[in-house]
Amino acid sequence: MKIKPIAAALLTLTSLSSIAATYSITPLPVTNKAKNTFAQSIDNSDTLLVTTSNEYNPPIDVERLKQTNFFAINEASIENEDDIKNGIFSDIDYTLIVSYLNNLTSQNTFLLRKQRIAQFKSYSTDLVDTRFVQGFDNFVEKFDDFSQSVTTIARDSLNGDFIVGYSQSPYQDVEYTNNNDQLIRYTINDIYRRAFVQVGSQTVALLPKDTLVNGISEAFAVNRNFQVGGYGTTRFSPAIRESAATCTDDGERGDVAKEFCLYSLINSRSYQQNSSKRATIWQLNASGEVLSSEIFPLPFEPTTEKFAWENRILDINNNGLAVGWSHTGETVNFLKPGAQFRNTEVETQAAYFENGETIFFLTDEKDLASQAVAVNDKGWITGTVARAPNEVARDRFFIHNVDTNETRYPDGFFINAGVIPRSINNRNIVVGRADIESSNEANRETNAFMYNINADEFINLNLLTSCDSPYTLIEAVDINDDNEIIANARFRANDTYATGNPVTDENGNNIKVDKIIAVKLSPIANGQIEGCDEKEEVKYERAAASNTLFALLGLSAFFFIRRRCIAK
């Protein structure tokens, strides 16, 4: 249903002139590719980036499948084992296989022989043509296609053909004969996460300063001067260096392949957390070649060695002003929604990065943890800040102007509502998601919002669409300078098998489920706001509130990226 508060009656076309009146909704042309699609970004060339999850009809390596325990553990559920071994799949059998390959939760040598299927892949589209963003994936002759084993998240684009994000290296087979003369086959990769820029069909790696076991880097945003903002590892702890050295020492490693030892290391929490990561701007040329990089320091001098200290860039404007967050060197203690006890964690603060400095700018003592997520060319920064007016701290919304030093904390749909901004354009319009219910639940239902800085108006984007729209906009993710928006919407559709065919009940009727899909919102010139009759909203069970793709996937599963990932 469409949420139409009484306050909507007060809105006029005059007050909404800056946001181009009403909007039409178009699902992105990737809904036929996967069960789940998630919005990432829209640029000024009208190129949209979208992430897919649980894609239909991934290629199956039947010979490799025969070498696993798939048939043994699924014996009672398989419809036709002989057909599977001959490459013929029913809807149920195909879904069983894909589910089996997706559930790689162990790193033992037996499971590592499985074919890998990436959980997340990325595409760019202009609503006419859709292009796969391959990242570091490789072409496989057996499939006559990319391996589809590589997770790639495309986060931002420039002019449609200059795309940045992060990717993995492809999975490769490695053979090792152990001390008992047993041949062990591993299927592993050697890069956990690496920033990239893709120009046309060419992918260029954006390396961190410290590339121990290839290091870690991510890219979040690119400006028209080919500056890319993100972060990379600058130093690993002595323990991690010692572990890496052990992996490459035949006398110290133990009876495992060197490649597997290193793979286990880069996928460990220790490797990912015991490293110093610093905000980084890579300067590229128009071909995507890296000309230089600038690494930004912490805004404090650590009194003790701590390799988890870090800062990150999440956006950069066309003037080279980058924003994001940094650790402060302190801890903060507050009660989170749904928690029984106060939580102590490392404090983060919103920061901007300029002239080689990392600068904090929020000064209100009521501000707890914060981060900046977007900045426009007029110096307006937006982000989230945790505040606890009623003991419980929820993420709130701030805007700050670098030039005037003005800071505002706009309310959402009601006082003390949780509000998560995601993007801001050069018309001073902010978009994101906000709570629409004031319950005491840890996870509240959200709707997409638009906030006009100049008019100080906070508007539910569902008000600006047709009353009979089948979509409920739960989150606006990005907005370009034409006020076109990419968003995530809740939509009721047929449940599907891994083949894409609909799931039916015992009577042959399609089973309907709620899904999250990526949509584009386009302004309608001279459109009119419709007065819609209120109807009872259909409630659903919500998964844990978060902005990660894994949480959105949970929303779809339970039934409920951006260009800039909000990560604390």
Side-chain angles (χ1 to χ4, degrees):
M1 103 137 215
K2 307 304 297 301
I3 304 296
K4 302 293 181 182
I6 296 175
L10 303 177
L11 298 176
T12 65
L13 286 178
T14 301
S15 66
L16 293 175
S17 60
S18 61
I19 55 174
T22 58
Y23 278 86
S24 64
I25 300 178
T26 305
L28 302 193
V30 290
T31 54
N32 64 336
K33 291 182 178 293
K35 271 199 170 188
N36 309 290
T37 63
F38 307 116
Q40 287 289 345
S41 70
I42 181 170
D43 67 20
N44 285 333
S45 73
D46 203 19
T47 295
L48 304 102
L49 296 180
V50 60
T51 297
T52 61
S53 177
N54 296 325
E55 286 208 2
Y56 299 132
N57 297 303
I60 302 299
D61 188 334
V62 176
E63 292 307 310
R64 184 183 293 266
L65 187 68
K66 292 177 184 177
Q67 300 171 15
T68 71
N69 63 350
F70 168 76
F71 294 100
I73 67 175
N74 290 286
E75 182 178 4
S77 302
I78 291 172
E79 287 194 332
N80 193 314
E81 181 174 334
D82 290 336
D83 277 355
I84 293 175
K85 291 179 177 179
N86 288 305
I88 302 169
F89 311 105
S90 68
D91 289 332
I92 290 177
D93 286 346
Y94 203 94
T95 302
L96 278 173
I97 294 168
V98 172
S99 176
Y100 170 78
L101 295 177
N102 280 332
N103 290 326
L104 292 171
T105 57
S106 173
Q107 288 188 347
N108 66 50
T109 56
F110 185 79
L111 288 177
L112 284 173
R113 293 188 300 178
K114 288 184 181 178
Q115 175 189 350
R116 297 303 180 107
I117 298 177
Q119 184 171 17
F120 299 113
K121 294 190 286 185
S122 293
Y123 293 85
S124 66
T125 182
D126 58 6
L127 299 186
V128 178
D129 296 318
T130 300
R131 297 164 293 280
F132 177 55
V133 180
Q134 71 263 25
F136 299 119
D137 203 355
N138 60 337
F139 194 84
V140 177
E141 291 186 5
K142 179 183 293 187
F143 299 149
D144 192 28
D145 198 352
F146 286 93
S147 76
Q148 302 191 44
S149 68
V150 174
T151 290
T152 297
I153 305 295
R155 288 210 175 98
D156 196 17
S157 62
L158 175 69
N159 300 328
D161 60 356
F162 202 94
I163 297 169
V164 301
Y166 82 82
S167 186
Q168 303 171 309
S169 57
Y171 283 85
Q172 304 290 338
D173 291 335
V174 173
E175 293 187 346
Y176 173 76
T177 301
N178 66 17
N179 293 338
N180 296 321
D181 291 329
Q182 293 177 308
L183 180 64
I184 309 295
R185 293 183 178 90
Y186 303 96
T187 303
I188 54 182
N189 68 352
D190 60 0
I191 295 177
Y192 168 71
R193 185 167 294 185
R194 174 160 290 174
F196 75 88
V197 57
Q198 185 170 309
V199 183
S201 61
Q202 299 299 313
T203 302
V204 178
L206 304 180
L207 300 180
K209 179 181 177 181
D210 192 331
T211 57
L212 180 70
V213 202
N214 290 312
I216 300 170
S217 60
E218 292 192 57
F220 290 88
V222 58
N223 67 14
R224 66 188 177 200
N225 299 313
F226 306 113
Q227 291 177 301
V228 178
Y231 74 90
T233 47
T234 57
R235 191 164 51 131
F236 284 89
S237 70
I240 296 299
R241 292 196 172 278
E242 183 177 343
S243 295
T246 298
C247 283
T248 58
D249 188 324
D250 292 341
E252 297 290 334
R253 181 176 60 251
D255 194 15
V256 294
K258 175 184 69 175
E259 293 86 352
F260 175 66
C261 182
L262 293 172
Y263 170 81
S264 299
L265 176 61
I266 67 173
N267 284 278
S268 68
R269 179 174 297 183
S270 179
Y271 176 81
Q272 296 158 24
Q273 293 185 347
N274 291 314
S275 60
S276 296
K277 302 179 184 72
R278 296 290 180 267
T280 303
I281 294 177
W282 292 272
Q283 178 64 66
L284 314 181
N285 63 18
S287 299
E289 299 172 311
V290 180
L291 303 178
S292 63
S293 62
E294 182 178 14
I295 297 172
F296 291 84
L298 295 170
F300 66 95
E301 191 66 36
T303 56
T304 58
E305 188 64 78
K306 183 177 176 64
F307 283 85
W309 297 130
E310 62 180 284
N311 53 12
R312 299 188 182 190
I313 289 172
L314 302 182
D315 194 19
I316 185 168
N317 70 10
N318 289 316
N319 302 318
L321 178 65
V323 301
W325 59 267
S326 176
H327 286 142
T328 68
E330 304 291 338
T331 59
V332 62
N333 181 280
F334 53 83
L335 185 66
K336 292 185 175 181
Q340 294 182 337
F341 305 101
R342 298 174 69 87
N343 182 60
T344 299
E345 60 185 43
V346 177
E347 183 182 37
T348 64
Q349 277 196 30
Y352 63 84
F353 304 85
E354 190 176 43
N355 299 323
E357 293 185 275
T358 301
I359 302 168
F360 294 141
F361 55 85
L362 295 180
T363 58
D364 195 311
E365 293 182 356
K366 294 190 292 291
D367 295 343
L368 302 174
S370 62
Q371 58 183 324
V373 300
V375 59
N376 69 9
D377 294 342
K378 297 180 180 180
W380 281 106
I381 300 171
T382 188
T384 60
V385 55
R387 286 188 157 193
N390 300 314
E391 296 300 323
V392 177
R394 291 187 182 272
D395 281 330
R396 303 291 301 282
F397 166 35
F398 77 80
I399 53 171
H400 175 86
N401 190 279
V402 173
D403 298 323
T404 65
N405 209 33
E406 176 189 1
T407 303
R408 300 185 211 165
Y409 301 85
D411 286 325
F413 296 127
F414 54 89
I415 295 176
N416 297 331
V419 182
I420 306 292
R422 300 298 304 274
S423 179
I424 182 173
N425 69 4
N426 288 319
R427 295 188 178 187
N428 291 344
I429 304 295
V430 180
V431 296
R433 72 175 187 268
D435 295 343
I436 60 168
E437 58 181 354
S438 57
S439 70
N440 293 324
E441 295 182 19
N443 311 308
R444 297 167 168 174
E445 185 178 352
T446 67
N447 272 191
F449 78 83
M450 169 184 287
Y451 175 73
N452 185 327
I453 293 177
N454 300 333
D456 191 26
E457 291 176 335
F458 194 96
I459 301 161
N460 189 326
L461 275 171
N462 287 282
L463 297 174
L464 307 182
T465 62
S466 172
C467 293
D468 60 1
S469 171
Y471 308 100
T472 298
L473 304 173
I474 62 172
E475 177 182 42
V477 177
D478 196 14
I479 182 170
N480 66 16
D481 291 338
D482 293 324
N483 288 333
E484 297 170 314
I485 297 169
I486 186 171
N488 289 317
R490 188 169 77 246
F491 176 69
R492 195 153 187 82
N494 293 333
D495 194 10
T496 51
Y497 292 103
T499 56
N501 294 327
V503 177
T504 57
D505 60 22
E506 62 275 11
N507 297 317
N509 299 315
N510 291 339
I511 296 175
K512 299 289 186 178
V513 294
D514 285 317
K515 295 184 177 183
I516 304 297
I517 65 170
V519 298
K520 179 187 177 184
L521 278 64
S522 303
I524 300 173
N526 302 315
Q528 299 291 322
I529 297 174
E530 298 185 35
C532 304
D533 295 332
E534 284 209 49
K535 298 178 182 178
E536 184 179 354
E537 178 75 5
V538 176
K539 293 295 181 181
Y540 55 89
E541 183 178 0
R542 291 180 295 281
S546 174
N547 60 315
T548 67
L549 291 174
F550 291 100
L552 285 173
L553 192 58
L555 289 175
S556 298
F558 272 98
F559 234 92
F560 134 24
I561 59 141
R562 126 176 192 208
R563 87 182 189 193
R564 301 156 188 90
C565 170
I566 304 175
K568 293 184 180 179

